[in-house]
Amino acid sequence: MAEIPIIKAAPAQLKKKPATGAELGFGKILTDYMFSMDYQQGEGWKNPRIEPYHSLTLDPAALVLHYGQEVFEGLKAYRWPNGEIYLFRPRMNYERMNRSAKRLCMPALDVEFALESTRQLLQLEKDWVPSSPGTSLYIRPNMIGVEAALGVQLSKKYLFYIILSPVGAYYPQGFNPVDIYVCEKYIRAARGGLGEAKTLANYAASLLAAEEAHELGYTQVLWLDAIERKYAEEVGTSNIFFYIGDELITPSLDGTILPGITRDSVLHIARHWELKVTERRISLDEVMAALQSGSLKEIFASGTAAVISPVGKLAYRGKTFLINGGKVGPLAQKLYDFIVGIQYGKRKDPYGWMERVA
Ligand SMILES: Cc1ncc(COP(=O)(O)O)c(C=O)c1O
């Protein structure tokens, strides 16, 4: 594939790389360069380029700022012990981005070109990929409608860009369970809405619920279905799994749930381990009954940020329930070790999921 033009920054403009480790936090430090390209209706995607990281100049009437035509992705680059840099199933991110774009009436990307752009940006920025345990370089592709117009309409112009941020270990103090608040007051997504797209409105809809849960001392919200407020859907910005008896259950993808790449990986691995794995609706009544009978073994969330997040406590209708005695369950631990081992090149990659970029 063609080399993408690079506009180099003057050496004095380059940022000082931070110390690596937990103090990196999440998404506060951005690297020196970004990839961008433009779309014009009738012409398609054009002008791909890698340039020094910069602020965007947007017309105040840009459609994204008024009607929310935006889709994004989130993936990570991992440094292996031999110094090489790898991505985890990155094609799935750009395929999901195209599905999100379709829902928002935005143009599709050429997946191979988007991957190549990511690769070339990472090759330039490879020194930004941290190496201390659990750290990585977070990759944020974003697409926005930039045409200036105040009427509700589809933008005829788009900007696609990729920015990078070194991130600290999610569990600097070790792999720990989180406390979850079951939210009955607000909903994240309804069938027919935007729930399965990775777009800004879903996150805007989640902020107030998360704030209220934090005020009550909980880390995340467990979202219920919008109609009956009865069935589990997601946890915060991750997918959810329940291990009951000998069955590993996760809500089926029926339009309101983001199809997580970690979720897909957990399903794949668990099936390979010959666990009984089911994608179906699961009600809080069923979860409560399993808690009471002692058959609820574990609850955990899955997502790129934390990989696996075991749930230690669940608050529902004024009561708090301990899950697996508030401790990390063996299945969550085994899945976490397996996936993280593959991502960081410490374990054989039996499914060919890792792609080398530098
Ligand atoms: C709403 C939501 N659900 C689930 C996920 C988990 O998806 P993935 O495993 O691809 O990170 C994310 C994170 O991207 C998310 O934002």
Side-chain angles (χ1 to χ4, degrees):
M1 220 166 278
E3 279 287 312
I4 294 164
I6 299 177
I7 301 165
K8 287 268 186 175
Q13 278 180 294
L14 297 180
K15 299 170 188 163
K16 190 171 173 293
K17 297 200 179 45
T20 68
E23 66 281 3
L24 284 173
F26 185 86
K28 287 178 291 197
I29 302 162
L30 283 310
T31 71
D32 290 311
Y33 289 93
M34 62 195 283
F35 170 87
S36 309
M37 67 178 169
D38 308 306
Y39 179 93
Q40 170 71 52
Q41 195 184 66
E43 292 177 40
W45 288 107
K46 57 181 189 180
N47 194 18
R49 62 213 181 259
I50 292 173
E51 301 165 307
Y53 189 93
H54 59 272
S55 300
L56 301 179
T57 306
L58 281 184
D59 192 293
L63 282 159
V64 62
L65 301 175
H66 301 266
Y67 308 117
Q69 268 192 307
E70 186 263 10
V71 294
F72 68 103
E73 268 306 323
L75 66 162
K76 287 173 168 177
Y78 306 90
R79 188 178 288 283
W80 281 17
N82 62 6
E84 292 171 358
I85 294 161
Y86 285 79
L87 300 177
F88 180 72
R89 312 185 76 187
R91 211 162 257 98
M92 289 192 78
N93 289 92
Y94 285 115
E95 284 164 358
R96 182 170 69 187
M97 193 164 190
N98 276 347
R99 292 197 303 275
S100 301
K102 191 164 184 207
R103 180 64 182 84
L104 275 290
C105 303
M106 298 169 77
L109 295 163
D110 176 327
V111 170
E112 288 312 316
F113 187 74
L115 276 172
E116 181 58 25
S117 310
T118 311
R119 221 173 273 136
Q120 291 191 27
L121 179 63
L122 285 168
Q123 277 158 8
L124 183 67
E125 295 285 68
K126 61 179 184 298
D127 293 345
W128 279 94
V129 184
S131 56
S132 45
T135 61
S136 56
L137 187 66
Y138 185 77
I139 304 165
R140 168 55 60 86
N142 202 10
M143 192 199 294
I144 54 176
V146 294
E147 189 190 351
L150 285 182
V152 178
Q153 61 196 276
L154 301 184
S155 181
K156 291 186 268 314
K157 289 181 180 177
Y158 296 87
L159 172 69
F160 169 74
Y161 62 87
I162 307 170
I163 53 178
L164 308 172
S165 170
V167 297
Y170 199 88
Y171 295 109
Q173 270 91 43
F175 188 42
N176 268 319
V178 291
D179 299 344
I180 301 293
Y181 182 81
V182 181
C183 180
E184 290 187 279
K185 187 169 165 194
Y186 306 107
I187 56 144
R188 177 185 168 274
R191 278 203 204 180
L194 298 174
E196 65 186 351
K198 202 161 167 67
T199 184
L200 83 201
N202 290 327
Y203 300 84
S206 76
L207 297 175
L208 183 56
E211 269 308 290
E212 291 186 7
H214 290 161
E215 277 163 23
L216 294 170
Y218 294 90
T219 321
Q220 300 268 16
V221 165
L222 190 153
W223 296 106
L224 299 178
D225 74 284
I227 297 171
E228 294 173 75
R229 311 238 171 148
K230 200 171 151 184
Y231 297 96
E233 298 217 321
E234 299 200 59
V235 168
T237 57
S238 24
N239 297 112
I240 182 145
F241 286 83
F242 299 88
Y243 191 28
I244 299 178
D246 66 349
E247 188 185 12
L248 182 63
I249 306 157
T250 194
S252 36
L253 302 175
D254 45 19
T256 57
I257 294 173
L258 190 82
I261 290 149
T262 322
R263 175 189 182 278
D264 183 82
S265 308
V266 167
L267 291 173
H268 199 89
I269 295 164
R271 288 190 176 116
H272 206 185
W273 288 349
E274 296 187 351
L275 288 175
K276 182 177 168 201
V277 178
T278 321
E279 292 174 76
R280 64 168 171 85
R281 297 190 100 187
I282 173 160
S283 68
L284 263 283
D285 289 346
E286 181 180 348
V287 175
M288 289 298 130
L291 252 169
Q292 243 103 63
S293 73
S295 58
L296 177 68
K297 293 181 181 154
E298 299 183 35
I299 304 179
F300 56 85
S302 72
T304 297
V307 183
I308 300 289
S309 280
V311 175
K313 253 192 227 161
L314 191 70
Y316 183 49
R317 297 195 168 160
K319 288 196 186 139
T320 304
F321 304 92
L322 271 189
I323 312 298
N324 189 45
K327 299 200 184 69
V328 176
L331 182 59
Q333 183 75 56
K334 195 173 162 197
L335 282 162
Y336 177 80
D337 291 343
F338 191 79
I339 298 173
V340 169
I342 292 175
Q343 289 173 333
Y344 285 91
K346 299 206 165 133
R347 194 181 272 266
K348 196 167 164 279
D349 169 17
Y351 311 116
W353 282 343
M354 301 308 293
E355 288 199 22
R356 186 172 167 206
V357 286

